[in-house]
């Protein structure tokens, strides 16, 4: 019999939506290429000519990359980290000495002050040697203490914590709980005001870096009371504070070297001076931090694609089948073409998004989310194709290959390590919903009251008038555009012609916007339940963004005399592959099994098909599906193990 979970917090669906909506950035103060794309407006001028870093940023970035490469080649043994399931102390000490903990921290606090572009290049480099080391650095800087303090911290907090984060201290981000994932409205960890302190109680799950961290960013709910607005609030917490227990170091199918755990807080006192931002702003701080923080995952995905391409090229030229290299057999060659073209596109999306983040001219919240979504999905597919190309050797571990005298290629490890990226920092399903919400923001801004059951008739009337004006101007622009003119985007017509792909993007963006409008008209308030439809809409937008980035990058490389012809070939191949995927997605917008799937799911949950489960033995045993996270003192030994201790 499963033990009951006693700490579960129950909220209504509407309450959960309200919490999520309140945490969103409400305004669009800067243009967004991706937002315009979903509205049917192909604003190529926002990304072309491709933005470039200044010379000093390049000099400092390349200098650090050279030092980091030398360190990785001499000191980081990815096979040992995989074998021992931990990053050696000397590796972390070396990273601290290099300044790798402070890549994005301003030099005045002891950091390197690298741009987002070079920070991502560094993560791709180190992640190619050991994804676990990449995860350590990313969790510390992208979502740990440095980024939220950089954006929302007081000067006193920056002075106190950023120098430590730049050189000596590792940080972690603690939001998820045993019964709370992507639904923060049910957050159970509390921070109760008590004089000049807050007292934290609760349990946090999947705390990447949490086992070894010195500093924690903790999200906790402050009860509303006199003088306290309350709400989900962010705190910087010393990991050595009394009452903190790391109860377990978690183990996973991949990323075996990461220090991810379960952390319990029992009557932990945190000074009010350590609160980041006002009460109730914690979730907004977390989401805003992730606007650029999400770019760290596609950075390592792009690096993985490069490695997959290298191994596929070398192996497929060496391995012969039926009298010729396997690469020359179409069944294998198509996989290699997919890996090469997709790697080019992933790097294009990453570099474009990163440079736009550095320049701060555009709002990139959708671009960064698309990069994370697209990068994590496509990198997984590339690794899967590499395993298939390698055949039995792809399924065999690197250690086993080495033991019998062959090159130790960790293809199966790459597949395992990449799998988490489709879940980390917003699962693919959650990213679909998040991006879809931003993509339809303009529609909800003008017509949202029409479908809100709580709005009065007068509110609906005003919304109807407002929507009529907006759509009278917007809808006619979706009928025709530059994509129908044969000479449009002529600067992309070289030995290989990319102009046709950009015209296709422009036409398809308008078609995408028309499809979205039709769906909203058809389903109205039920639109948010059509998650299959929304996911396909987002996936189409991701392909269009990637096609645009690939073409713009190819033209940049051509204009600079850097493999321009080859870049155009790769962009052409990618766009042709992407157009096929887009056609399939459009077909599935209206021809799918979504309604039937819902009926089957109800039958599964209702027990109608339990007979189908007969004839097996379930090895998972007994125990609760979700561990009890009732607040209280820990009964377990502290598993915290700081590096070098």
């Amino acid at each position: 019999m499963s033990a009951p979970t006693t700490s579960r917090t129950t909220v209504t669906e509407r309450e959960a939506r309200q919490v999520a909506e309140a945490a969103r950035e409400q305004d669009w103060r800067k243009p967004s290429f991706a937002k315009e794309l979903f509205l049917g407006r192909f604003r190529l001028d926002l990304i072309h000519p491709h933005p470039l870093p200044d010379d000093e940023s390049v000099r400092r970035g390349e200098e650090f990359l050279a030092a980091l490469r030398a360190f990785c080649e001499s000191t980081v043994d990815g096979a040992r980290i995989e074998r021992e399931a931990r990053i050696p102390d000397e590796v972390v000490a070396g990273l601290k000495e290099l300044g790798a903990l402070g890549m994005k921290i301003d030099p005045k606090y002891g950091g390197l002050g690298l741009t987002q572009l070079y920070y991502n290049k560094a993560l791709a480099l180190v992640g190619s040697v050991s994804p676990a080391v990449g995860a350590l650095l990313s969790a510390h800087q992208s979502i740990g203490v440095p980024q939220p303090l950089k954006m929302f911290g007081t000067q006193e907090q920056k002075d106190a914590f950023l120098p430590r984060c730049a050189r000596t201290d590792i940080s972690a981000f603690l939001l998820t709980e045993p019964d709370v994932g992507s639904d923060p409205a049910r957050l159970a960890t509390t921070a109760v005001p008590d004089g000049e302190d807050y007292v934290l109680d609760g349990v946090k799950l999947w705390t990447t870096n949490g086992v070894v961290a010195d500093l924690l960013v903790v999200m906790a709910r402050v009860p509303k009371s006199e003088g306290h607005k309350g709400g989900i609030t962010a705190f910087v917490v010393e990991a050595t504070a009394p009452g903190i227990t790391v109860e377990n170091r978690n183990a996973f199918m991949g990323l075996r070297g990461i220090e991810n755990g379960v952390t319990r807080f029992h009557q932990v006192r945190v000074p009010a001076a350590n609160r980041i931002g006002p009460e109730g702003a914690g979730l907004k701080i977390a989401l805003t931090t992730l606007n650029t923080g999400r770019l760290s995952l596609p950075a390592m995905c792009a690096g993985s694609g490069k490695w997959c391409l290298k191994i596929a090229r070398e192996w497929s030229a060496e391995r012969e089948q039926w009298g010729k290299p396997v690469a020359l057999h179409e069944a294998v060659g198509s996989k290699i073409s997919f890996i090469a073209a997709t790697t080019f596109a992933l790097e294009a999306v990453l570099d474009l998004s990163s440079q736009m983040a550095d320049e701060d001219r555009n709002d990139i919240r959708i671009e960064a989310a698309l990069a994370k979504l697209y990068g994590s999905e496509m990198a997984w597919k590339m690794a899967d194709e590499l395993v298939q190309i390698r055949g039995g050797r792809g399924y065999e571990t690197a250690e086993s290959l080495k033991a019998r005298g062959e090159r130790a290629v960790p293809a199966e490890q790459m597949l395992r390590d990449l799998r988490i990226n489709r879940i980390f920092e917003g699962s693919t399903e959650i990213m679909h919903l998040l991006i879809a919400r931003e993509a339809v923001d303009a529609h909800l801004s003008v017509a949202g009251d029409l479908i809100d059951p709580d709005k009065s008739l007068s509110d609906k009337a005003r919304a109807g008038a407002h929507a009529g004006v907006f759509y009278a101007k917007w809808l006619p622009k979706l009928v025709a555009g530059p994509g129908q003119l044969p000479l449009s985007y002529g600067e992309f017509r070289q030995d290989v012609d990319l102009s046709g792909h950009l015209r296709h993007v422009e036409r398809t963006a308008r078609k995408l916007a028309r499809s979205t409008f039709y769906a909203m008209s058809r389903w109205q308030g039920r639109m948010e339940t059509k998650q299959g439809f929304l996911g396909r809409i987002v996936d189409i937008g991701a392909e269009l963004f990637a096609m645009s980035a690939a073409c713009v990058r190819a033209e940049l490389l051509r204009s600079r005399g850097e493999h321009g012809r080859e870049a155009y070939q790769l962009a052409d191949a990618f766009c042709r592959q992407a157009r096929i995927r887009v056609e399939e997605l459009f077909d599935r917008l209206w021809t799918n099994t979504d309604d039937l799937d819902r009926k089957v799911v109800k039958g599964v949950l209702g027990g109608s098909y339990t007979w189908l489960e007969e004839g097996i033995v379930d090895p998972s045993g007994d125990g609760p599906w979700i561990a009890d996270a009732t607040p209280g003192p820990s009964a377990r030994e502290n598993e915290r193990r700081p590096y070098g201790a």
Side-chain angles (χ1 to χ4, degrees):
M1 179 69 68
S2 296
T5 299
T6 59
S7 59
R8 182 169 297 182
T9 301
T10 302
V11 297
T12 66
E13 182 179 357
R14 183 170 183 80
E15 288 171 336
R17 287 201 305 269
Q18 288 173 339
V19 170
E21 189 65 20
R24 283 184 61 249
E25 288 185 78
Q26 303 293 327
D27 300 323
W28 294 84
R29 292 179 292 275
K30 298 173 184 176
S32 164
F33 173 79
K35 176 174 180 284
E36 293 292 299
L37 200 64
F38 281 108
L39 286 170
R41 300 190 285 247
F42 181 45
R43 291 286 308 279
L44 186 61
D45 60 295
L46 293 178
I47 62 173
H48 175 68
H50 195 295
L52 294 171
D54 61 77
D55 292 342
E56 177 59 18
S57 296
V58 172
R59 185 195 65 77
R60 289 190 295 109
E62 293 293 339
E63 185 178 276
F64 176 72
L65 287 181
L68 183 62
R69 174 180 289 276
F71 174 76
C72 288
E73 291 175 342
S74 65
T75 308
V76 182
D77 184 346
R80 178 187 172 188
I81 293 171
E82 171 73 2
R83 184 172 60 253
E84 297 180 355
R86 60 173 288 180
I87 301 170
D89 289 357
E90 60 268 23
V91 170
V92 178
L95 291 170
K96 292 179 179 181
E97 183 67 25
L98 273 176
L101 295 188
M103 285 187 278
K104 289 187 67 181
I105 297 176
D106 194 295
K108 67 183 178 182
Y109 300 111
L112 299 180
L114 297 186
T115 60
Q116 184 73 37
L117 179 70
Y118 274 95
Y119 170 66
N120 287 338
K121 288 181 182 294
L123 289 178
L125 174 62
V126 75
S128 67
V129 184
S130 170
V133 176
L136 168 76
L137 294 175
S138 172
H140 166 65
Q141 291 172 88
S142 296
I143 58 176
V145 171
Q147 192 66 15
L149 282 193
K150 176 182 176 181
M151 301 179 73
F152 300 100
T154 65
Q155 190 59 54
E156 291 76 15
Q157 289 171 339
K158 294 175 182 178
D159 291 339
F161 298 118
L162 289 184
R164 292 170 57 183
C165 291
R167 290 290 176 180
T168 60
D169 288 16
I170 291 172
S171 66
F173 174 75
L174 281 62
L175 171 63
T176 305
E177 298 177 0
D179 194 35
V180 180
S182 299
D183 184 9
R186 297 167 54 241
L187 198 76
T189 298
T190 59
V192 179
D194 183 18
E196 296 299 312
D197 298 333
Y198 290 84
V199 180
L200 270 61
D201 281 281
V203 178
K204 295 294 185 179
L205 176 64
W206 295 325
T207 61
T208 301
N209 289 358
V211 179
V212 296
D214 304 287
L215 291 170
L216 314 171
V217 175
V218 181
M219 297 292 167
R221 184 182 303 280
V222 177
K224 189 174 183 179
S225 62
E226 184 177 350
H228 291 276
K229 175 185 176 182
I232 299 173
T233 305
F235 300 89
V236 178
V237 181
E238 298 279 357
T240 55
I244 298 180
T245 305
V246 176
E247 294 192 330
N248 193 65
R249 184 197 179 208
N250 303 324
F252 304 95
M253 68 181 287
L255 292 182
R256 290 178 175 169
I258 63 169
E259 300 287 350
N260 179 298
V262 177
T263 302
R264 177 178 292 272
F265 297 85
H266 175 60
Q267 297 290 293
V268 178
R269 302 193 73 86
V270 179
N274 286 20
R275 188 188 70 217
I276 308 174
E279 290 182 356
L283 194 55
K284 178 169 287 189
I285 288 171
L287 292 179
T288 305
T289 298
L290 281 173
N291 282 343
T292 55
R294 282 196 177 97
L295 290 174
S296 63
L297 287 187
M300 288 182 279
C301 289
S304 299
K306 289 173 178 285
W307 182 82
C308 288
L309 178 59
K310 179 179 184 294
I311 298 301
R313 172 180 58 81
E314 294 176 351
W315 166 249
S316 299
E318 176 73 21
R319 172 65 162 164
E320 288 193 0
Q321 192 85 356
W322 299 314
K324 58 183 177 182
V326 294
L328 299 182
H329 291 284
E330 194 172 277
V332 174
S334 63
K335 299 179 187 300
I336 297 173
S337 174
F338 165 73
I339 292 173
T342 304
T343 296
F344 178 81
L346 284 192
E347 187 168 42
V349 166
L350 175 69
D351 283 4
L352 178 62
S353 301
S354 299
Q355 187 57 34
M356 287 196 294
D358 286 329
E359 292 188 354
D360 202 27
R361 286 190 294 118
N362 294 353
D363 188 321
I364 68 155
R365 73 181 84 162
I366 299 183
E367 285 83 347
L370 286 173
K372 190 274 177 189
L373 168 69
Y374 197 72
S376 60
E377 289 293 323
M378 299 306 273
W380 164 259
K381 290 179 181 178
M382 287 190 287
D384 188 50
E385 293 289 34
L386 176 64
V387 168
Q388 193 70 19
I389 290 169
R390 289 273 290 160
R393 290 173 173 85
Y395 194 66
E396 191 173 0
T397 67
E399 189 173 12
S400 177
L401 288 165
K402 183 178 181 180
R404 61 183 184 80
E406 292 193 2
R407 184 176 300 186
V409 179
E412 61 83 30
Q413 181 192 336
M414 177 64 72
L415 194 63
R416 288 187 286 102
D417 288 343
L418 282 171
R419 187 59 182 84
I420 188 57
N421 291 333
R422 299 171 64 199
I423 301 171
F424 258 168
E425 296 181 22
S427 68
T428 290
E429 293 72 26
I430 292 300
M431 296 306 297
H432 276 151
L433 299 181
L434 183 153
I435 297 168
R437 172 61 186 89
E438 299 296 352
V440 301
D441 184 60
H443 299 286
L444 293 180
S445 296
V446 299
D449 286 356
L450 282 172
I451 59 177
D452 189 336
D454 292 340
K455 294 297 181 181
S456 66
L457 289 177
S458 59
D459 288 335
K460 291 179 183 290
R462 282 192 295 271
H466 190 194
V469 173
F470 173 79
Y471 289 119
K473 295 180 179 178
W474 179 68
L475 286 171
K477 295 178 181 178
L478 301 183
V479 177
Q484 293 165 295
L485 303 176
L487 299 181
S488 296
Y489 315 113
E491 67 267 37
F492 291 86
R493 188 180 296 111
Q494 303 297 328
D495 292 340
V496 175
D497 188 359
L498 298 181
S499 65
H501 296 311
L502 292 176
R503 290 194 295 273
H504 179 271
V505 171
E506 195 278 335
R507 294 193 306 271
T508 307
R510 287 186 280 112
K511 181 180 179 180
L512 182 64
R514 293 194 301 268
S515 299
T516 305
F517 175 74
Y518 172 72
M520 292 189 68
S521 302
R522 175 179 174 179
W523 291 316
Q524 299 187 30
R526 292 185 295 129
M527 179 79 161
E528 66 181 25
T529 68
K530 303 296 181 179
Q531 294 179 3
F533 177 89
L534 292 173
R536 296 175 198 116
I537 286 288
V538 169
D539 285 339
I540 293 170
E543 295 283 6
L544 298 182
F545 177 40
M547 289 173 66
S548 305
C551 291
V552 168
R553 182 174 181 81
E555 174 56 19
L556 169 67
L557 295 179
R558 186 203 65 81
S559 68
R560 300 175 67 170
E562 301 176 2
H563 311 292
R565 180 179 177 81
E566 295 81 8
Y568 259 66
Q569 290 171 345
L570 288 169
D572 182 44
F574 173 77
C575 288
R576 291 180 187 276
Q577 295 168 8
R579 288 170 71 162
I580 294 172
R581 293 192 292 267
V582 167
E583 280 187 35
E584 292 174 350
L585 286 165
F586 268 116
D587 287 343
R588 290 175 56 213
L589 284 181
W590 312 110
T591 306
N592 54 64
T593 61
D594 292 350
D595 291 339
L596 177 59
D597 293 342
R598 279 191 287 274
K599 292 180 182 178
V600 171
V601 168
K602 289 182 180 178
V604 169
L605 295 181
S608 300
Y609 310 127
T610 53
W611 51 269
L612 192 58
E613 302 166 9
E614 295 173 2
I616 63 164
V617 175
D618 179 2
S620 56
D622 296 326
W625 287 104
I626 300 170
D628 185 12
T630 303
S634 179
R636 304 184 64 174
E637 184 177 343
N638 195 348
E639 297 286 337
R640 181 173 181 266
R641 185 193 58 80
Y643 286 113

